[in-house]
Amino acid sequence: MSTTKTSPELSTDVEHVDLAITGMTCASCSARIERKLNKLDGVEASVNLATEKASVNFPAGLSVAEIVATVEKTGYGATPVEQDRAARAPAMTHDVVSKNSLRVRVIVSSVLAAIVAVLHMVPPVADAVGTAGMWAQFALTLPVYLWAAWPFHRAALINARHLSSTMDTLVSVGTTAAMGWSAVALFTGFSHDMYFEVVAVVTAFLLIGRYIEARAKAQGRSALQSLMELGAKDVAILRHDAGSGAWTEMRVPIEELTHGMRFIVRPGEKVATDGRIIDGNSTIDASMVTGESMPVEVTGGDDVIGATVNGHGRLVVEATRVGSETTLAHITGLVEQAQTGKAPVQRLADRISAVFVPTVLVIALVTFVLWLVTGHSMAQALAPAVAVLIIACPCALGLATPTALLTGTGRGAQLGILIKGPQILESTRRVDTVVLDKTGTLTTGEPVLTDVVTHGTLAPDHALAAAASVEAGSEHPVAQAIVTGARERGVELREFTDFSNLPGRGVRARLKGMEVTVGKPDLFAEVPAVLQDALDAGTGTTVLVGWEGVARAAITVADTPRESSAAAVARLRELGLTPYLLTGDNKHTARRVAQEVGIDAANVDAGVLPQDKFAHVKALQEQGRVVAMVGDGVNDAAALAQADLGMAMGSGTDVAAESADIVLMRSDVDTVADAIGLSRKTLRIIKENLVWAFGYNTLAIPLAAFGMLTPMIAGGAMAMSSVLVVLNSLRLKGFGR
């Protein structure tokens, strides 16, 4: 167990702990625990029914043991969650009974209920067995009521001891009333109306619903559990023998890997932790971590992420982040944070659930009394009262938001989209403008050769050969782009001598005895007009190449749009968003890129200084726009925080990621559309679930009170309501497939 300090800017005296809660069965349970915890001085708690976890911020003067004791006094179990995310997943299986026990109860109660229903409801059978049939129904229903339905009774008793009620109270009171009435009638003979089949069938339906619900909830959690279990379990480390100077290989558990250690990643193995490649070349499949569909080439000096899969080569990697510092642990933390939080609409549902059960108990009592005073018998009054108790369980209401959030954020993690909290979903619905950075977002961020302009009769390939031959001695990105471009065009490079670097201006070298200069205009005594025009066009970064003091050609390299950018911008438009391009590049380059990807020229802001991005976002907001900002650098942090929805590219800085609402693990604008689409769909499904849950209870209770629903139908409908809500949420697992 561990507790963590909250961010320093909030308070240095506030700590945090996550608790695994046991014994919760409905939204009333989670609402009651949350209410009790929040009554403690300085405590801020959020309890999630679907994840069965409590997220608690508490003052330093309070201990975790006191918080656990508070939960236990409320009638539930609490255990601090282990935070060793890199090693294993928590055992989030805290249903009222174990899954196996629940399955056995479902099978036994279903078989017995079917027999009881036949004995009671099939006239030829009922006539044939006569009075013995009623005793047989009693004998078969008794184990269903006492054993199969025990989880409901137990939860109701625990809550009753604390003067509270939950949906289990409704089930327990309803079945007990039916069972008690029927048993007394059978033994005393005061009435021929008995409801053994109601007890057996309702219990079987509810258990079936609970079992399906438990399986569906487990599927919703599977994405997070997959993330947690993604990391390597052991690692082959290299130990250096100072005496012999040799390196020896040793396989150890992943927990023993520390910062700075070197380890080996063989073909097909997972990278043990975040690190930097010391030796080797290979490809890395990062699809499970970042959602990147294609493996990427890596070599010495490249950074690799833990839990990604090595391709064909053997790599030696130095660990740079271990344990809770790793990218995988960070992703897992963000997903957990999002799934534990609550949207404003969920808090409303919780408040309603908290008062719902006592209200229903009163309605059931009033129903019973009204049926009696209107001239009906005790037996006739009992059925609608029991139906009200059974059908009113607010289970679907409690599951409406958490299950959708669980599935949506889990699917997002699989796609490399980390949504930081449920409150973000509402922001994505309102957004109508998306501001995109150019370099690294819409474009590849790597310059490529785009144009060669020559003066006089000089052939472009000859000018390119001279420039590339000299630039081959430089590591500058523009030089590398020229060399690569020349090779791709089949231009043969020549050997050079006397290479010299002119910092900030260019390079110079001798080719076959001739001194060739590549760089800025001030390196040349004469720049012909045609080359000056190429410089002034501003279509990219343009350098001159020449000799004997005269510039002979202008070579332009430029950052080019990603292949997916145009389609991604089109998707953003389909989502009703107006894309804007914000860049520090010149107007010509910005407009060229905007035209290629489909952004209107009127929506291009070029020459924007990094510190001015914040002001541009604010200006758009003052025009009435709801703005989503996409960025990746430190200079984007203020703009990300100012935007109504901040989205940080995962390849960028930690500062940007901390300032953003959504972190995109892939530096591809296509994920922006995915993130907004997934968030909106999650929000839509939450609302569908809530409408169904509220509507179901609102309509069904009056029908039950007026005797239009039998208790058996009520039990089946209640179970199906929860199952439908959970299944609707699971539709999010298919997003983007």
Side-chain angles (χ1 to χ4, degrees):
M1 182 275 292
S2 65
T3 60
T4 56
K5 296 276 187 186
T6 56
S7 55
E9 64 272 23
L10 294 177
S11 171
T12 55
D13 297 328
V14 178
E15 298 186 25
H16 177 86
V17 66
D18 289 324
L19 301 175
I21 306 294
T22 59
M24 290 194 297
T25 55
C26 68
S28 296
C29 301
S30 56
R32 198 155 69 85
I33 297 171
E34 192 172 291
R35 195 167 59 249
K36 291 286 184 185
L37 287 174
N38 283 325
K39 282 184 178 177
L40 298 174
D41 285 342
V43 171
E44 291 182 9
S46 175
V47 182
N48 190 306
L49 173 64
T51 58
E52 293 163 346
K53 290 176 73 175
S55 175
V56 187
N57 290 328
F58 60 99
L62 205 62
S63 69
V64 173
E66 290 173 292
I67 294 170
V68 170
T70 302
V71 177
E72 290 175 346
K73 283 179 187 172
T74 315
Y76 303 89
T79 310
V81 176
E82 295 285 343
Q83 294 197 349
D84 187 10
R85 298 188 181 105
R88 60 182 180 272
M92 295 194 299
T93 54
H94 306 297
D95 283 312
V96 174
V97 292
S98 69
K99 193 173 171 182
N100 289 337
S101 173
L102 191 57
R103 184 167 58 237
V104 173
R105 288 171 199 267
V106 166
I107 294 170
V108 173
S109 63
S110 298
V111 172
L112 295 179
I115 298 172
V116 171
V118 169
L119 288 174
H120 184 85
M121 302 177 70
V122 180
V125 177
D127 295 340
V129 295
T131 308
M134 302 308 293
W135 286 100
Q137 288 182 49
F138 171 71
L140 295 172
T141 304
L142 200 58
V144 175
Y145 172 73
L146 293 178
W147 172 75
W150 174 243
F152 301 114
H153 301 317
R154 178 177 173 275
L157 288 171
I158 290 173
N159 284 288
R161 283 209 306 267
H162 296 85
L163 301 178
S164 65
S165 55
T166 66
M167 66 155 279
D168 299 294
T169 307
L170 302 179
V171 175
S172 183
V173 170
T175 55
T176 299
M179 187 70 191
W181 171 279
S182 304
V184 172
L186 180 63
F187 281 97
T188 64
F190 84 93
S191 172
H192 296 292
D193 296 316
M194 300 179 200
Y195 298 102
F196 291 120
E197 87 287 0
V198 170
V199 178
V201 174
V202 164
T203 302
F205 275 157
L206 294 177
L207 286 172
I208 290 170
R210 185 69 65 84
Y211 181 70
I212 295 172
E213 182 186 306
R215 283 176 59 89
K217 281 162 66 180
Q219 285 185 42
R221 294 172 183 147
S222 62
L224 180 59
Q225 287 187 323
S226 298
L227 269 178
M228 291 176 165
E229 293 168 355
L230 206 57
K233 302 296 181 286
D234 54 24
V235 56
I237 61 169
L238 288 174
R239 291 194 188 281
H240 187 241
D241 186 338
S244 64
W247 291 88
T248 56
E249 182 180 331
M250 181 184 299
R251 188 161 283 275
V252 299
I254 190 70
E255 291 82 0
E256 296 183 18
L257 185 63
T258 60
H259 186 275
M261 276 188 172
R262 293 185 178 186
F263 59 93
I264 293 174
V265 190
R266 292 190 170 78
E269 281 188 342
K270 289 179 180 176
V271 178
T273 192
D274 294 0
R276 181 161 295 133
I277 297 173
I278 302 298
D279 184 46
N281 300 291
S282 185
T283 56
I284 291 288
D285 179 359
S287 57
M288 285 297 290
V289 178
T290 67
E292 182 71 52
S293 58
M294 297 296 293
V296 294
E297 298 280 346
V298 292
T299 186
D302 287 343
D303 291 330
V304 289
I305 300 174
T308 54
V309 180
N310 183 24
H312 58 276
R314 177 181 182 274
L315 299 174
V316 178
V317 180
E318 182 176 284
T320 55
R321 293 179 179 179
V322 296
S324 60
E325 302 171 346
T326 63
T327 303
L328 182 62
H330 187 58
I331 293 171
T332 306
L334 287 175
V335 174
E336 277 191 290
Q337 177 189 327
Q339 294 185 343
T340 306
K342 289 186 178 181
V345 69
Q346 173 62 22
R347 295 194 179 279
L348 174 65
D350 285 352
R351 285 199 293 274
I352 293 173
S353 296
V355 299
F356 193 77
V357 173
T359 305
V360 169
L361 287 172
V362 172
I363 293 174
L365 181 62
V366 170
T367 300
F368 183 71
V369 171
L370 286 178
W371 276 73
L372 281 180
V373 300
T374 52
H376 295 86
S377 67
M378 291 276 284
Q380 289 171 319
L382 184 64
V386 171
V388 168
L389 291 172
I390 298 299
I391 203 160
C393 297
C395 207
L397 199 59
L399 292 169
T401 300
T403 51
L405 198 59
L406 202 66
T407 314
T409 51
R411 179 59 186 151
Q414 290 175 335
L415 293 170
I417 300 164
L418 306 180
I419 303 168
K420 284 192 176 177
Q423 67 281 4
I424 307 302
L425 302 177
E426 193 65 28
S427 302
T428 62
R429 184 185 65 81
R430 296 183 295 111
V431 161
D432 58 17
T433 301
V434 58
V435 177
L436 301 164
D437 186 29
K438 182 184 74 67
T439 307
T441 303
L442 284 172
T443 64
T444 61
E446 297 175 1
V448 297
L449 178 64
T450 57
D451 197 18
V452 180
V453 177
T454 60
H455 171 61
T457 58
L458 179 64
D461 280 358
H462 289 169
L464 184 57
S469 300
V470 176
E471 292 281 32
S474 172
E475 295 295 327
H476 194 281
V478 173
Q480 295 299 309
I482 292 173
V483 172
T484 303
R487 285 175 175 154
E488 287 175 352
R489 295 187 183 194
V491 173
E492 187 176 346
L493 274 58
R494 304 163 193 164
E495 290 189 4
F496 61 85
T497 59
D498 299 334
F499 176 85
S500 60
N501 187 28
L502 310 173
R505 303 172 68 197
V507 292
R508 187 172 287 155
R510 284 190 174 278
L511 299 176
K512 294 184 178 179
M514 175 72 75
E515 187 178 74
V516 177
T517 302
V518 183
K520 293 187 174 180
D522 60 2
L523 293 173
F524 303 92
E526 180 183 349
V527 178
V530 64
L531 303 186
Q532 187 61 50
D533 292 342
L535 287 167
D536 296 340
T539 54
T541 302
T542 302
V543 296
L544 300 177
V545 55
W547 45 91
E548 297 176 334
V550 179
R552 312 283 177 167
I555 299 177
T556 301
V557 300
D559 194 9
T560 55
R562 297 175 187 276
E563 291 182 2
S564 60
S565 290
V569 169
R571 284 186 62 198
L572 291 173
R573 289 187 184 282
E574 289 172 5
L575 290 168
L577 302 171
T578 303
Y580 276 71
L581 177 60
L582 204 64
T583 177
D585 267 356
N586 61 64
K587 190 184 300 181
H588 295 288
T589 303
R591 286 190 173 174
R592 177 181 59 79
V593 171
Q595 185 179 14
E596 290 184 32
V597 302
I599 295 177
D600 293 340
N603 295 339
V604 176
D605 288 318
V608 178
L609 296 174
Q611 60 270 29
D612 293 339
K613 290 183 178 178
F614 168 86
H616 275 72
V617 170
K618 195 172 181 181
L620 285 169
Q621 289 173 322
E622 287 171 353
Q623 294 171 19
R625 294 189 172 276
V626 183
V627 181
M629 168 77 194
V630 184
D632 60 356
V634 173
N635 55 57
D636 294 327
L640 288 170
Q642 171 64 28
D644 299 282
L645 179 69
M647 307 174 81
M649 292 290 189
S651 61
T653 64
D654 290 343
V655 177
E658 290 298 325
S659 304
D661 301 310
I662 294 177
V663 178
L664 309 173
M665 297 303 294
R666 280 181 288 150
S667 297
D668 186 341
V669 74
D670 206 33
T671 56
V672 176
D674 281 340
I676 293 176
L678 176 62
S679 298
R680 287 182 173 180
K681 187 169 183 180
T682 303
L683 186 65
R684 187 165 64 249
I685 284 188
I686 287 174
K687 290 183 175 178
E688 288 173 3
N689 287 347
L690 287 174
V691 167
W692 167 254
F694 274 117
Y696 162 82
N697 285 123
T698 305
L699 292 175
I701 290 176
L703 291 177
F706 284 106
M708 300 173 72
L709 291 177
T710 67
M712 280 193 297
I713 294 175
M718 199 287 288
M720 281 309 298
S721 174
S722 298
V723 171
L724 284 175
V725 162
V726 175
L727 293 178
N728 191 39
S729 298
L730 289 180
R731 290 196 298 128
L732 286 165
K733 294 187 77 170
F735 181 86
R737 294 186 190 279

